[in-house]
Amino acid sequence: MGFIFALGGLLILLLALLGAFFCIRWLFFRNRPPVHPDRKEVHMRERDTSESNASIPNDPSAPPQPNADRTDTGNREETFLQPGARQRPIAARPSLLDSSLSRFAIVAAIAVALLIPLLLVQNLVDERAMLYRSVVRDISRTWGGQQQLTGPILLIPYSERQLTQRSVPRKKEKDNDIQEYETVTESHLVLGYFVLLPTRIDFSGGMVPQERQRGIYRSLVYTADLHIAGHFNLPSDEALKRVAPALESVNYAGAYLVMGLSYPNALRTVGQLIWNKAELSAEPGIQPFSKLKNGFRIPVRLSPEVKEYAFSQNLVFNGSSGIRFTPVGGVTRITLESPWPHPSFQGDILPVSREVSDQGFNASWDIPSLARSYPNLGTLENWPENFTTFSAGVELYEAATHYHLIERSVKYGILFIGLTFLAFVIFELGLNARLHPVQYGLVGLSMVVFYLVLLSLSEHLAFLPSYAAASACTILMIALYVGAALRNIKEGMGVGVLLTALYTLLYAILQMEDYALLMGTALVLVALGALMAVSRNLAVERR
């Protein structure tokens, strides 16, 4: 359905652009008689002669000038002027600058040359965008980056008996005996940790987006308020011995509950852990669970007689960009809501249900343990290093920064300069007027400056008013300049109307990200068709 609406809007815009072009051509060129190619030279000479005669007042004392208006039937004209009159030189054939082919070549060369300032503008946009990203990274470093929650994970210490063998030299009975060795088996205890994942875990809460500003730059951040709840089931002795066959003993009293968090410095509130109705406090560090980089831990006491332990905790922390969850539970359920209307669901698993509107979004995930590649019970020594890469979450998506929009608009710069020059060539052919190549260059440079004005304004204002102000300045400046150059305000107004249509179409292309390529391609086809229509008589004019 969206594709149909976009295609319909594209057709309407293109028809409006073509309609504006033909209306301008009909209004300005309808009363101008066409000049036949075979009569062009005669018409130009007649015009020069009439202008020369009109510039000389009638002098009664001057002798009559016979045959002043006589023109023979050939293509030769004889004009007798009064003494002192100035006559324009009449060329026997059009100069190289006046031919249609040379005009197209010169205009095309100017358009290609304008690629250099366009590239400079593109480099400036990239430089400002890099500075913006650097400021955003700095804000994220102090406020909190993209957070990923992993856990809680239960670490239970145990001891395991291991047998090792080594060779030792035997005692010599005589000094000349050959040294012999024997193998000795030794038994010793090795300390380790069981890694136990929760049977079920629920994450529920919301994300409140905020905007932080540093200088002229703004960054989207959020504050998350989460409630974590679930329960652990202690494994049986048989399950423990399958993981550690030489198990000697389990130290249930020295267990730790570990919670991983990407940026623990962004924690604002860490509530008490409710562990089987007992309140426990967290402490910094994740030792001995070295598979995580950052987080905190909570010492807990276990008993082999109690097989199930329920827990709950509230966390409030800052972050930016988005939030991810590592599904460590036998069943992991995640429920999130936020007033941000542009979510981008990321990770390895998409939500099972979601609702997105202008007032925000809410989404929920149900992730079984079979979806991941690591077990519910294991040892710290054999636990995979990259188990956090399997995750689910959401990002607070910004449709496009103004730098991204300006970068895309600069890519259409040469196309819009070419369309404007094409309109000027059409005006020239219809008016039999000529713009100097320098004037073409100045008009092209003013269109390049449009992107600089847009860039500077968009760093302080929203993109729409910045675009409207920059395009209005450019359109007004070019329209007044062309009207003054052609000595005709109607032609300047026509150029202004055409540029308004072009910049309106450019804004529509920038707003339609999914169909920008389609609209840009259609615009190129329209420009190519207009160029074919304008150049259809080039072969006739060369005769």
Side-chain angles (χ1 to χ4, degrees):
M1 185 63 67
F3 174 78
I4 295 176
F5 283 128
L7 187 60
L10 171 64
L11 293 177
I12 292 174
L13 287 173
L14 293 178
L15 290 176
L17 185 61
L18 290 175
F21 167 73
F22 286 112
C23 286
I24 293 171
R25 184 175 178 87
W26 179 77
L27 287 174
F28 297 146
F29 305 146
R30 58 180 176 176
N31 296 325
R32 301 180 185 275
V35 181
H36 193 274
D38 297 335
R39 301 285 297 169
K40 183 178 290 188
E41 183 178 351
V42 176
H43 177 75
M44 294 176 60
R45 293 183 179 180
E46 289 178 355
R47 185 183 62 183
D48 293 340
T49 303
S50 61
E51 290 177 358
S52 300
N53 292 336
S55 63
I56 303 173
N58 294 329
D59 188 358
S61 61
Q65 299 294 333
N67 302 328
D69 296 329
R70 186 181 65 190
T71 304
D72 57 11
T73 57
N75 289 334
R76 180 180 179 86
E77 180 182 353
E78 296 180 0
T79 303
F80 298 92
L81 301 177
Q82 296 181 3
R86 298 177 63 185
Q87 182 181 6
R88 297 180 183 179
I90 301 175
R93 63 181 61 182
S95 64
L96 180 62
L97 190 62
D98 292 331
S99 66
S100 299
L101 183 61
S102 62
R103 296 293 296 178
F104 276 108
I106 293 174
V107 170
I110 296 174
V112 173
L114 288 172
L115 282 174
I116 298 176
L118 276 177
L119 290 176
L120 295 177
V121 172
Q122 179 69 55
N123 292 335
L124 179 60
V125 173
D126 294 340
E127 179 182 348
R128 301 296 291 184
M130 290 179 60
L131 180 59
Y132 165 75
R133 288 191 289 268
S134 175
V135 173
V136 169
R137 284 194 300 267
D138 191 45
I139 294 176
S140 299
R141 181 180 58 82
T142 55
W143 177 265
Q146 178 174 289
Q147 297 280 19
Q148 180 167 349
L149 272 76
T150 304
I153 298 174
L154 190 59
L155 298 182
I156 306 174
Y158 71 94
S159 61
E160 184 180 15
R161 183 167 299 279
Q162 290 186 356
L163 300 177
T164 59
Q165 294 180 345
R166 63 188 184 94
S167 298
V168 296
R170 288 182 178 179
K171 185 177 180 182
K172 295 182 179 180
E173 296 180 357
K174 297 180 180 180
D175 292 340
N176 57 355
D177 289 345
I178 300 175
Q179 183 65 57
E180 296 181 352
Y181 293 86
E182 62 179 348
T183 302
V184 178
T185 302
E186 297 179 345
S187 174
H188 59 276
L189 294 177
V190 176
L191 298 179
Y193 285 88
F194 288 115
V195 179
L196 179 63
L197 302 183
T199 306
R200 181 180 177 87
I201 184 170
D202 294 331
F203 297 94
S204 61
M207 304 168 62
V208 179
Q210 304 178 40
E211 193 175 72
R212 284 292 178 266
Q213 183 172 353
R214 181 171 298 177
I216 63 174
Y217 300 105
R218 298 175 177 86
S219 175
L220 178 65
V221 297
Y222 67 86
T223 298
D225 187 352
L226 294 180
H227 177 72
I228 307 172
H231 63 273
F232 286 90
N233 288 334
L234 290 185
S236 62
D237 293 339
E238 292 77 9
L240 295 177
K241 289 185 177 181
R242 282 197 297 267
V243 177
L247 180 64
E248 284 285 326
S249 62
V250 180
N251 182 14
Y252 288 101
Y256 286 98
L257 197 69
V258 177
M259 174 67 74
L261 189 66
S262 302
Y263 294 87
N265 62 311
L267 281 168
R268 297 177 58 181
T269 302
V270 180
Q272 294 287 321
L273 175 70
I274 308 302
W275 183 259
N276 268 8
K277 298 182 180 182
E279 293 186 357
L280 303 178
S281 299
E283 60 184 34
I286 56 173
Q287 294 80 13
F289 193 57
S290 58
K291 308 300 180 178
L292 292 174
K293 294 182 179 180
N294 299 301
F296 57 90
R297 68 179 186 177
I298 302 173
V300 296
R301 295 184 65 87
L302 304 177
S303 173
E305 288 78 19
V306 180
K307 293 299 183 181
E308 183 173 335
Y309 292 86
F311 64 89
S312 64
Q313 189 179 29
N314 291 325
L315 294 179
V316 179
F317 54 87
N318 298 328
S320 60
S321 179
I323 186 171
R324 298 286 184 93
F325 298 88
T326 305
V328 296
V331 176
T332 303
R333 180 173 178 81
I334 306 168
T335 304
L336 284 178
E337 61 180 6
S338 174
W340 185 254
H342 307 295
S344 176
F345 301 103
Q346 303 290 330
D348 299 280
I349 297 181
L350 295 177
V352 294
S353 64
R354 57 184 177 180
E355 294 181 5
V356 181
S357 64
D358 295 336
Q359 287 72 39
F361 75 90
N362 59 75
S364 61
W365 291 257
D366 280 313
I367 307 173
S369 60
L370 295 179
R372 62 174 191 254
S373 59
Y374 47 90
N376 294 325
L377 176 64
T379 61
L380 180 60
E381 182 182 3
N382 298 324
W383 199 257
E385 295 283 347
N386 58 346
F387 77 104
T388 58
T389 57
F390 182 79
S391 64
V394 63
E395 291 185 5
L396 303 183
Y397 177 71
E398 294 182 88
T401 63
H402 60 279
Y403 293 108
H404 179 58
L405 293 174
I406 296 173
E407 180 182 359
R408 288 172 53 197
S409 64
V410 172
K411 293 179 180 179
Y412 289 100
I414 189 63
L415 174 61
F416 278 76
I417 290 175
L419 288 175
T420 304
F421 285 1
L422 176 61
F424 288 171
V425 171
I426 294 173
F427 278 115
E428 287 185 356
L429 295 179
L431 296 172
N432 289 323
R434 293 291 184 266
L435 286 174
H436 196 275
V438 174
Q439 294 172 325
Y440 274 98
L442 291 176
V443 170
L445 287 176
S446 65
M447 298 187 71
V448 174
V449 173
F450 158 78
Y451 300 104
L452 291 178
V453 178
L454 178 60
L455 175 62
S456 58
L457 289 178
S458 63
E459 291 185 337
H460 304 276
L461 303 174
F463 183 77
L464 179 57
S466 302
Y467 186 90
S471 58
C473 292
T474 304
I475 292 171
L476 183 62
M477 182 169 57
I478 294 178
L480 293 177
Y481 180 69
V482 172
L486 296 177
R487 307 295 195 273
N488 194 323
I489 193 172
K490 291 177 63 179
E491 278 72 17
M493 293 174 57
V495 171
V497 171
L498 187 61
L499 287 177
T500 301
L502 286 176
Y503 280 107
T504 303
L505 184 60
L506 175 61
Y507 184 80
I509 292 176
L510 294 178
Q511 297 303 312
M512 301 178 65
E513 292 190 12
D514 295 335
Y515 306 103
L517 178 60
L518 175 63
M519 296 187 69
T521 304
L523 188 59
V524 171
L525 289 176
V526 171
L528 185 59
L531 186 61
M532 289 180 178
V534 171
S535 60
R536 67 186 184 277
N537 292 326
L538 287 179
V540 179
E541 294 178 359
R542 292 182 60 186
R543 296 175 183 173

